[in-house]
Amino acid sequence: MKLTLAGGVVRGGRQARERFYDARGYGRVVSGDLELAPVEAAHILSRGDVETIRDADSGERLDFRGLLTSDAVSEIDVLVYKDLRDRGFYLSPAREGWVADPAGADFLVYPRGNGPWDDEIAYRVRAISEREDVPARELGDTVLAVVDEESSITYLESDRPEIEGSTAFDLPEGVAADLLGDRVLVWEPPAELYEQAFYGQPLDEESGTPLQVSLVEAAALARRGILDVDGGEQAVIERGREVEGDRFDRRLAVYRALRDRNVVPKTGFKFGADFRTYADVEDVENLGHSELLVRVLPADHTFSPRDLALDVRLAHGVRKRMVFALVAEGDIEWLSVSRLTP
Amino acid sequence: MKLTLAGGVVRGGRQARERFYDARGYGRVVSGDLELAPVEAAHILSRGDVETIRDADSGERLDFRGLLTSDAVSEIDVLVYKDLRDRGFYLSPAREGWVADPAGADFLVYPRGNGPWDDEIAYRVRAISEREDVPARELGDTVLAVVDEESSITYLESDRPEIEGSTAFDLPEGVAADLLGDRVLVWEPPAELYEQAFYGQPLDEESGTPLQVSLVEAAALARRGILDVDGGEQAVIERGREVEGDRFDRRLAVYRALRDRNVVPKTGFKFGADFRTYADVEDVENLGHSELLVRVLPADHTFSPRDLALDVRLAHGVRKRMVFALVAEGDIEWLSVSRLTP
């Protein structure tokens, strides 16, 4: 079985095509012959299906070790390719001209039982080292296959979810409140402010007063005329910027967007996030489990895979969905990331 | 009951002393009279034990709201003080001259049933807002009481642990290995390298070969003469710096220090940490649960309480202890942080 590497492609004849493409979903067919990406050839070599391939440039024969230590393949790609094959998938390298829509992916993975001769795609996979940062904007429809330094692979699926809840309430206007250093106190809160709308946290649980309201909550309530703070909404926002900088404006934008969607955001501090959210609050006495953990980030944020793994792992452990709110000028994009077992 | 605020101290007579110090552990006694810190007076006012105190500067009477919105107390301190009293503790504000060793703490908390008339201290508590960063150097013997934006309090205990394990093995020297882009491959590894010493991860589980070794593992092994890589230890370190910058040197120092203590560090990527560790590996077939999650940081690192909460929560969820390895020139300090319920 003769396979030859030349110009970044490994080529074989009709017999190779029958054995590798027809029977086992490797490569693609060009004029009845076989073309393989080097990562596919590396996999074939690693299995011992073929002992060596010929390197047309050097005239030498390359075994698995020879190919892996050459510049023709990335070890990251080889590891992810092998892992997906071991899990029972056929997959195609997402090369320009080889597949219909290669952008942003390294591999197109077919549903189990399907192959490159079918149209259906199960996952668009991007293979990266744990040391390679990933811009948030590039996530949303791909699966990240992150190879850690010990060569284990974590699959992270990303999506652009719709966020929507059904929390409803009516609140009176003009409730007096004091702005302190880092929060707002409402000395005579209407009961529904906490009990139905789930704003704030009572200092004294029994009497329910005073109600301690966070700066984001207070700014949102002041804008709607519900809280009456000296200096109004603007005073609260300025205090927020003093204690938190630019981040405050981003967090407030996300807080408001969640409330606009009838979702209740509460602090996510204990989970290391900005907010945890409740989609449907009827009253605080009968509060369900919060569904999302939300981390607020600027839209041009770049993730370190390790930080992403930390957030996703924690959210999974507390049975919540990890959502990133990416904030650009006046616009919020929602990105969910979760662990996937392909 | 007359209480007067002047010069940052609230003073009362003998009767106030009997009622608040003798019976309930507030304040201190000076010439038979009572002195309270404003935070203690705020707590007494919030309970309604006294309706108002007199402000000697303005001549006005302050109720709880008046004192809380003045500059005399921090809301953060008031919230933490109240929470600890509600949990059944007596505590003293750590003011210079009021207690023996106030440095680094806001409150000294006595064991339940004890008070300021006893010597024993249960916790040295520092009260901070979630927005206040904390230098790593300041942790180790205090409890952080972090007040989040919704006024809930998370207690984080810190300690300086001894790290020691009992993993023992012998390895042959001069094993050939190839340096790839982001890892090292050992094509004919001696079995004990993985199976007893738990270095690396086999690419093919059945044959155990090749063994994939991370750059920190490879650098440590190359220094000890066990792995023979082209360019030696230095080539591995240079590759590490290329892919990870300064962080590589810190991680390698911690990796070596852990191995010197007979502890096995493996990647902590899935937990968002640098390493997870096993104190006692006999063979990989019978591996126990890893005990620590280790995050490597420069010694001058400053924690955001939110990041700290994230790490500690995750470690708790996977039943491991969170340890920070603080690396200065040639020196490593170990800092453990865990959640405390006082």
Side-chain angles (χ1 to χ4, degrees):
Chain A
M1 181 82 41
K2 243 183 67 177
L3 295 174
T4 303
L5 169 64
V9 178
V10 177
R11 292 186 176 81
R14 189 158 306 246
Q15 201 192 338
R17 189 211 78 203
E18 283 169 10
R19 183 166 169 204
F20 294 114
Y21 178 84
D22 299 356
R24 288 160 58 205
Y26 289 98
R28 65 169 183 167
V29 178
V30 176
S31 314
D33 292 339
L34 177 70
E35 288 194 1
L36 299 170
V39 66
E40 296 174 301
H43 190 249
I44 287 169
L45 289 169
S46 79
R47 289 172 48 89
D49 291 336
V50 168
E51 288 299 314
T52 58
I53 63 173
R54 199 175 71 88
D55 181 352
D57 287 345
S58 66
E60 285 175 9
R61 301 209 65 91
L62 299 172
D63 60 5
F64 177 48
R65 181 177 179 178
L67 182 57
L68 199 54
T69 52
S70 77
D71 293 334
V73 288
S74 127
E75 71 209 68
I76 300 292
D77 287 353
V78 170
L79 292 169
V80 171
Y81 187 90
K82 172 186 160 45
D83 190 66
L84 287 164
R85 294 269 329 185
D86 287 353
R87 289 171 185 271
F89 293 99
Y90 287 171
L91 61 159
S92 291
R95 294 186 143 201
E96 199 67 54
W98 286 41
V99 296
D101 179 17
D106 294 306
F107 299 111
L108 303 190
V109 181
Y110 306 103
R112 275 197 189 83
N114 289 28
W117 41 80
D118 298 307
D119 280 341
E120 208 182 330
I121 302 291
Y123 309 113
R124 303 175 58 80
V125 172
R126 179 163 164 196
I128 61 169
S129 153
E130 66 161 292
R131 282 143 180 161
E132 188 182 326
D133 290 345
V134 185
R137 289 188 197 281
E138 293 178 9
L139 296 177
D141 69 345
T142 53
V143 171
L144 281 184
V146 186
V147 181
D148 70 32
E149 62 181 333
E150 286 173 10
S151 313
S152 287
I153 300 172
T154 301
Y155 292 92
L156 297 172
E157 188 171 35
S158 55
D159 202 356
R160 300 280 178 173
E162 289 296 317
I163 310 284
E164 199 63 59
S166 60
T167 303
F169 49 81
D170 274 310
L171 294 174
E173 299 196 348
V175 178
D178 286 338
L179 177 57
L180 302 189
D182 207 2
R183 69 206 67 231
V184 165
L185 289 191
V186 185
W187 298 90
E188 292 171 6
E192 57 270 40
L193 187 56
Y194 175 68
E195 288 168 18
Q196 266 88 61
F198 204 9
Y199 283 95
Q201 184 68 30
L203 178 62
D204 183 63
E205 303 257 332
E206 255 170 69
S207 66
T209 62
L211 189 65
Q212 310 167 90
V213 175
S214 76
L215 294 176
V216 283
E217 289 176 324
L221 287 168
R223 166 178 285 197
R224 293 179 49 205
I226 292 160
L227 282 196
D228 187 5
V229 185
D230 258 7
E233 181 197 3
Q234 207 47 43
V236 180
I237 291 178
E238 274 159 28
R239 178 61 49 83
R241 287 175 186 159
E242 270 169 42
V243 295
E244 226 175 45
D246 285 353
R247 224 174 129 242
F248 184 79
D249 288 277
R250 283 196 297 273
R251 296 179 77 241
L252 179 57
V254 172
Y255 183 89
R256 282 196 182 118
L258 288 165
R259 283 282 187 184
D260 286 347
R261 285 163 176 75
N262 303 312
V263 168
V264 178
K266 297 296 285 184
T267 178
F269 178 80
K270 282 186 202 300
F271 307 108
D274 286 287
F275 303 114
R276 67 185 198 279
T277 67
Y278 300 84
D280 184 16
V281 176
E282 288 198 10
D283 67 288
V284 168
E285 291 272 305
N286 300 300
L287 203 60
H289 181 72
S290 63
E291 301 93 14
L292 309 180
L293 289 184
V294 179
R295 182 179 295 288
V296 177
L297 296 169
D300 62 358
H301 179 76
T302 292
F303 287 109
S304 129
R306 188 181 305 237
D307 292 344
L308 209 47
L310 178 57
D311 276 340
V312 168
R313 176 78 188 218
L314 187 131
H316 180 80
V318 296
R319 289 171 297 133
K320 301 184 199 302
R321 187 171 183 194
M322 189 71 218
V323 172
F324 299 94
L326 306 170
V327 185
E329 289 298 317
D331 190 41
I332 297 168
E333 287 174 48
W334 309 96
L335 172 70
S336 71
V337 182
S338 54
R339 192 155 159 202
L340 172 79
T341 307
Chain B
M1 180 79 42
K2 242 182 68 179
L3 295 174
T4 303
L5 169 65
V9 178
V10 177
R11 291 186 175 80
R14 189 159 307 246
Q15 200 192 336
R17 189 211 78 203
E18 283 170 10
R19 182 166 171 204
F20 293 114
Y21 178 84
D22 298 358
R24 288 162 56 208
Y26 288 99
R28 66 169 183 169
V29 178
V30 176
S31 314
D33 291 339
L34 177 70
E35 287 194 2
L36 298 170
V39 67
E40 296 174 302
H43 190 248
I44 286 168
L45 289 169
S46 79
R47 288 171 49 88
D49 292 334
V50 168
E51 287 298 315
T52 58
I53 63 174
R54 199 175 70 86
D55 181 353
D57 287 346
S58 65
E60 284 175 9
R61 300 210 63 89
L62 298 173
D63 61 5
F64 176 49
R65 180 177 180 177
L67 182 57
L68 199 55
T69 52
S70 77
D71 293 335
V73 288
S74 128
E75 72 209 64
I76 300 291
D77 287 354
V78 169
L79 292 170
V80 172
Y81 187 89
K82 172 185 160 47
D83 189 65
L84 287 164
R85 294 268 332 184
D86 287 352
R87 288 170 185 273
F89 292 98
Y90 287 171
L91 61 159
S92 293
R95 294 188 143 201
E96 198 67 53
W98 286 40
V99 296
D101 179 18
D106 293 306
F107 299 111
L108 302 191
V109 181
Y110 306 103
R112 276 199 188 81
N114 289 27
W117 42 81
D118 297 307
D119 281 340
E120 208 183 330
I121 302 292
Y123 308 113
R124 302 175 58 79
V125 172
R126 180 164 164 195
I128 62 170
S129 153
E130 67 162 291
R131 283 145 180 160
E132 187 182 326
D133 289 345
V134 185
R137 289 188 197 280
E138 295 178 10
L139 297 176
D141 69 344
T142 53
V143 171
L144 281 185
V146 185
V147 181
D148 70 32
E149 63 181 332
E150 285 172 12
S151 312
S152 287
I153 300 173
T154 301
Y155 292 92
L156 297 172
E157 188 172 35
S158 55
D159 202 356
R160 300 281 179 172
E162 290 294 318
I163 311 285
E164 197 65 58
S166 59
T167 303
F169 49 81
D170 275 310
L171 294 174
E173 299 195 347
V175 178
D178 286 337
L179 176 57
L180 302 189
D182 206 2
R183 69 206 67 231
V184 165
L185 288 191
V186 186
W187 297 90
E188 293 172 5
E192 57 269 41
L193 186 57
Y194 175 68
E195 288 168 17
Q196 267 88 62
F198 204 7
Y199 284 95
Q201 184 69 30
L203 178 64
D204 183 62
E205 304 256 332
E206 255 171 67
S207 66
T209 62
L211 189 65
Q212 310 167 92
V213 175
S214 76
L215 294 176
V216 283
E217 289 176 324
L221 287 168
R223 167 178 283 197
R224 293 180 49 206
I226 292 160
L227 282 196
D228 188 5
V229 185
D230 257 9
E233 182 198 2
Q234 208 46 45
V236 181
I237 291 178
E238 274 160 28
R239 177 61 49 84
R241 288 175 186 158
E242 270 169 43
V243 295
E244 224 175 46
D246 286 353
R247 221 173 131 242
F248 184 78
D249 288 277
R250 285 196 295 272
R251 297 180 75 241
L252 179 56
V254 172
Y255 184 89
R256 283 196 180 116
L258 288 165
R259 282 283 186 184
D260 286 349
R261 286 163 174 74
N262 303 313
V263 168
V264 178
K266 297 297 284 184
T267 178
F269 177 79
K270 282 185 203 300
F271 307 108
D274 286 287
F275 304 114
R276 67 185 196 278
T277 68
Y278 301 85
D280 184 17
V281 176
E282 288 199 9
D283 67 285
V284 167
E285 292 271 305
N286 301 300
L287 203 60
H289 181 73
S290 63
E291 301 93 14
L292 309 181
L293 289 184
V294 179
R295 183 179 294 288
V296 177
L297 296 170
D300 61 359
H301 180 75
T302 291
F303 287 108
S304 129
R306 188 181 304 237
D307 292 345
L308 209 46
L310 178 58
D311 276 341
V312 168
R313 176 78 189 218
L314 187 130
H316 180 80
V318 296
R319 290 171 298 131
K320 301 184 200 302
R321 187 171 181 195
M322 189 70 218
V323 172
F324 299 93
L326 306 171
V327 184
E329 289 298 316
D331 190 41
I332 296 169
E333 287 174 47
W334 309 96
L335 171 71
S336 71
V337 183
S338 54
R339 191 154 161 205
L340 172 80
T341 307

